[in-house]
Amino acid sequence: MAQASDDKLKKIVSHAKEYGFVFPSSEIYDGLSATYDYGQLGASLKNNIKSYWWKAMVQMNENIVGIDAAIFMHPKTWKASGHVDAFNDPLIDNKDSKKRYRADVLLEEHMEKIRQKIKKEVTKAAKRFGGSFEEAMFIQTNPRVVKYNEQIKMIEDRMRTYLENSDLVALKQLIEELGIVCPISGSKNWTDVRQFNLMFSTELGSVADDSSKIYLRPETAQGIFVNYLNVQKTGRMKLPFGIAQIGKAFRNEIIARQFIFRMREFEQMEMQFFVKPGTELEWYENWKSKRIAWHKALGFSDDKYRFHDHIKLAHYANAAADIEFDFPMGFKELEGIHSRTDFDLSAHEELSGKKLQYFDPETNESYVPYVVETSIGLDRMFLAVMSEAYDEETLEDNSQRVVLRIPAFLAPIKAAVLPLTKKDGLPDKAREIINGLKFDYDLQYDEKDSIGKRYRRQDAIGTPFCITVDHQTLEDNTVTIRHRDSMEQERVAIDTLHSLLQEKVSLTSVLKQLEA
Ligand code: GAP
């Protein structure tokens, strides 16, 4: 199973490179670890994802507006937010493999292994008992499963306590006690656990002293917090209201791996929703449902998503959950939804000495709003789409095709226009069709190779439609349109192409689905 998932990720990485989605960064110098460049199709897919998010947040909600704050911020920002003092990972090295791991991730992975054992027991028992099998009862009473669940609870409880108390010695002891081995060397030869700050720093101007040290932002959220009153006043916003932003964030991740899943430079799409204190948990639930609906509107199967409620809450949160996606490497965090209380605004108020209170015209009171945030990694979303879309299909004639079943509204190229031959005026006709459609749709023209090969090339980049111009086109202004997923073809009039594409590839119908 693990092998199969590994293979799938490898296939996606090489497919993404071969077809111009994602390249290793500065590849001519052998690349830079955990840094990637988006190619011509990748940039387009990324923009379409951004557009889906931005429109669902900003365009569809009267009370959400968007901003674009600077990456560099006053260094006191990161003192107030807690990132200077607390944005650390507990790291542990294996002395034999020289590989570095996050201590909490080693423990999470250990618990996941136990969960897999439970799953196996359940599957075995379900087979044995057939129709009379009661899963809940089995989980509660089977001695082996009960023991496994107790183990998980024990690890969770101890891990939470140790992380909360920054008890690094106890964290190491727990890893040793559980006999966790390095996945590379297989040994238990661990160093002590140490804290490591994840922010990148640089100097502002030419003098390198402490006062000029600034950071590359590790999250976009703080650009929203420090601007919240600017936006509230200039936009005459009333609570509850939201501010959205898409932008780069930087973290000196120690264990940056798994392709674009964990990078040192990545992009976030974040929205902070400012609410009246006391209403935040209601809004938190509301945003959890809205965000999962946004994901599910992509049409991937529902069992690809699950919520993971945080055991260890970050220093700023009173509730937090991740939306996890079933990536080729298993379920992992795709998006976070956090109820951040008034932590950030109050901390900025204190350190800046500037009032950040909202005057509530309904109650005539002034207070610091509470904040519910939704925060999704754009690159992770890109990987989720690619991994779900990637499919190797064996056709009826036993030939193989690789097809990217990207939801049509996100596909980089919406339609390819293909003259059947390079002669008889077919290319001119194809160009004419492109010229009529290109204002609204991303299209590709291709006349090279057999039509079959051209279809395969478009399948491999996820183009939902291929429009073929043949000799009949010259006679009656009709073309064949081939559907990527079913490979079915139909003959349609050229003057219906615009509305046909509009119906099939526009974002509007997906946004309407979210409203319903
Ligand atoms: N403002 C809250 C915040 O930044 P986070 O859970 O640290 O919360 C939010 O990050 C999202 O950003 C994550 O769910 C993930 O999708 C994405 N993300 C975080 N670190 C990342 C990395 N190193 N590479 C790619 N995406 C990352």
Side-chain angles (χ1 to χ4, degrees):
M1 185 68 187
Q3 181 66 41
S5 340
D6 251 21
D7 282 355
K8 174 142 190 207
L9 187 61
K10 275 188 196 143
K11 281 178 181 169
I12 291 166
V13 176
S14 84
H15 191 83
K17 182 172 175 219
E18 187 180 344
Y19 287 92
F21 283 88
V22 184
F23 306 124
S25 179
S26 21
E27 197 187 6
I28 58 168
Y29 296 104
D30 296 332
L32 180 67
S33 115
T35 317
Y36 291 91
D37 297 337
Y38 287 85
Q40 64 280 18
L41 294 180
S44 175
L45 173 55
K46 214 173 160 195
N47 281 337
N48 294 344
I49 297 173
K50 281 190 209 179
S51 175
Y52 176 39
W53 184 86
W54 188 267
K55 288 190 176 186
M57 282 295 177
V58 178
Q59 195 171 315
M60 302 300 293
N61 291 291
E62 268 178 38
N63 60 348
I64 301 182
V65 292
I67 64 163
D68 184 12
I71 286 172
F72 291 142
M73 298 185 71
H74 193 287
K76 280 189 179 172
T77 309
W78 307 111
K79 187 75 191 154
S81 68
H83 284 83
V84 169
D85 299 318
F87 194 48
N88 300 317
D89 269 352
L91 297 179
I92 187 163
D93 292 59
N94 182 269
K95 291 181 193 163
D96 299 317
S97 67
K98 310 272 184 264
K99 288 278 169 201
R100 186 163 285 177
Y101 300 91
R102 265 174 54 182
D104 56 327
V105 170
L106 281 182
L107 291 165
E108 290 282 3
E109 284 174 357
H110 186 76
M111 286 189 279
E112 188 53 36
K113 278 187 193 148
I114 304 176
R115 283 191 199 102
Q116 290 307 323
K117 285 185 190 167
I118 296 176
K119 222 169 157 182
K120 256 194 197 154
E121 294 287 345
V122 171
T123 315
K124 250 186 356 203
K127 254 194 205 151
R128 206 168 51 238
F129 294 112
S132 62
F133 180 61
E134 283 186 43
E135 184 173 326
M137 174 71 85
F138 176 79
I139 289 174
Q140 273 173 26
T141 53
N142 179 275
R144 243 198 305 260
V145 173
V146 169
K147 206 175 115 216
Y148 287 148
N149 272 322
E150 280 170 3
Q151 270 176 9
I152 292 174
K153 181 154 182 350
M154 178 276 289
I155 300 170
E156 272 177 356
D157 288 348
R158 285 177 63 184
M159 183 172 89
R160 179 180 43 212
T161 312
Y162 301 155
L163 287 172
E164 274 169 6
N165 300 337
S166 285
D167 191 344
L168 305 182
V169 174
L171 213 51
K172 180 184 180 189
Q173 270 166 7
L174 181 58
I175 289 170
E176 286 176 337
E177 216 176 288
L178 296 169
I180 295 177
V181 297
C182 163
I184 308 286
S185 67
S187 89
K188 298 178 200 160
N189 197 4
W190 298 112
T191 62
D192 290 342
V193 180
R194 284 167 299 122
Q195 295 285 22
F196 186 93
N197 192 284
L198 298 182
M199 280 196 296
F200 282 105
S201 64
T202 184
E203 277 91 35
L204 192 67
S206 54
V207 189
D209 63 28
D210 243 15
S211 60
S212 61
K213 181 172 172 179
I214 57 166
Y215 297 99
L216 296 185
R217 66 179 177 198
E219 62 172 12
T220 57
Q222 298 303 325
I224 291 178
F225 287 124
V226 299
N227 278 299
Y228 121 88
L229 263 192
N230 284 338
V231 173
Q232 190 270 319
K233 288 194 170 141
T234 55
R236 292 176 295 120
M237 312 293 291
K238 287 207 176 83
L239 288 191
F241 73 91
I243 305 178
Q245 177 169 219
I246 300 178
K248 291 265 180 166
F250 304 82
R251 296 182 188 178
N252 198 358
E253 299 280 4
I254 302 311
I255 322 144
R257 59 179 174 205
Q258 289 168 328
F259 192 34
I260 52 175
F261 180 81
R262 193 181 301 286
M263 296 196 286
R264 299 198 169 99
E265 174 183 343
F266 58 99
E267 229 167 324
Q268 287 185 316
M269 306 191 285
E270 296 202 293
M271 192 279 299
Q272 326 304 128
F273 200 67
F274 298 86
V275 304
K276 194 173 174 170
T279 64
E280 74 278 8
L281 292 179
E282 212 175 296
W283 281 111
Y284 167 73
E285 291 302 333
N286 186 290
W287 278 109
K288 270 175 85 174
S289 350
K290 277 197 153 179
R291 292 307 302 150
I292 195 77
W294 182 89
H295 286 282
K296 290 188 175 172
L298 290 177
F300 301 146
S301 108
D302 279 6
D303 62 10
K304 288 278 154 188
Y305 305 91
R306 72 181 185 196
F307 277 110
H308 168 76
D309 293 311
H310 284 204
I311 313 172
K312 182 195 176 237
L313 290 173
H315 55 281
Y316 50 72
N318 69 359
D322 297 334
I323 292 176
E324 293 188 338
F325 183 77
D326 191 5
F327 289 98
M329 350 34 117
F331 273 99
K332 302 259 177 206
E333 175 185 342
L334 171 58
E335 169 158 9
I337 297 139
H338 313 124
S339 172
R340 286 177 85 126
T341 69
D342 60 352
F343 172 86
D344 303 84
L345 290 181
S346 295
H348 287 305
E349 199 172 46
E350 199 180 319
L351 203 64
S352 67
K354 306 272 170 20
K355 280 236 169 304
L356 293 179
Q357 304 212 336
Y358 168 79
F359 176 73
D360 189 333
E362 276 165 26
T363 58
N364 279 339
E365 289 170 293
S366 290
Y367 50 80
V368 175
Y370 270 37
V371 172
V372 175
E373 123 182 304
T374 73
S375 174
I376 173 169
L378 175 55
D379 312 87
R380 279 193 197 176
M381 189 60 207
F382 185 106
L383 182 59
V385 171
M386 286 295 273
S387 44
E388 210 35 38
Y390 183 92
D391 189 20
E392 290 170 0
E393 194 180 18
T394 306
L395 305 177
E396 272 173 16
D397 63 0
N398 262 336
S399 66
Q400 285 260 328
R401 72 164 180 159
V402 171
V403 52
L404 287 188
R405 299 183 195 277
I406 300 175
F409 72 100
L410 294 182
I413 306 293
K414 303 299 186 211
V417 184
L418 317 171
L420 193 60
T421 66
K422 286 188 210 167
K423 332 177 272 211
D424 306 331
L426 299 186
D428 292 341
K429 193 72 187 169
R431 295 274 183 210
E432 200 183 300
I433 293 173
I434 288 189
N435 286 336
L437 297 173
K438 71 180 179 189
F439 300 97
D440 295 305
Y441 306 107
D442 281 302
L443 305 169
Q444 220 175 54
Y445 173 85
D446 190 2
E447 59 175 28
K448 197 169 176 290
D449 298 323
S450 72
I451 197 75
K453 275 195 182 155
R454 282 182 271 168
Y455 285 159
R456 289 290 168 277
R457 275 204 290 270
Q458 295 301 328
D459 289 344
I461 62 171
T463 306
F465 299 103
C466 286
I467 297 165
T468 305
V469 175
D470 55 20
H471 291 92
Q472 191 182 330
T473 311
L474 302 179
E475 285 161 23
D476 63 4
N477 264 330
T478 62
V479 286
T480 59
I481 183 155
R482 173 190 179 267
H483 298 246
R484 174 196 69 198
D485 296 342
S486 63
M487 294 186 293
E488 272 166 17
Q489 300 189 21
E490 54 182 322
R491 192 118 206 139
V492 301
I494 290 175
D495 57 14
T496 62
L497 282 174
H498 192 282
S499 58
L500 194 145
L501 287 180
Q502 172 68 20
E503 186 197 325
K504 305 279 187 201
V505 307
S506 93
L507 179 51
T508 311
S509 54
V510 185
L511 293 174
K512 280 189 179 159
Q513 199 182 317
L514 292 180
E515 287 279 278

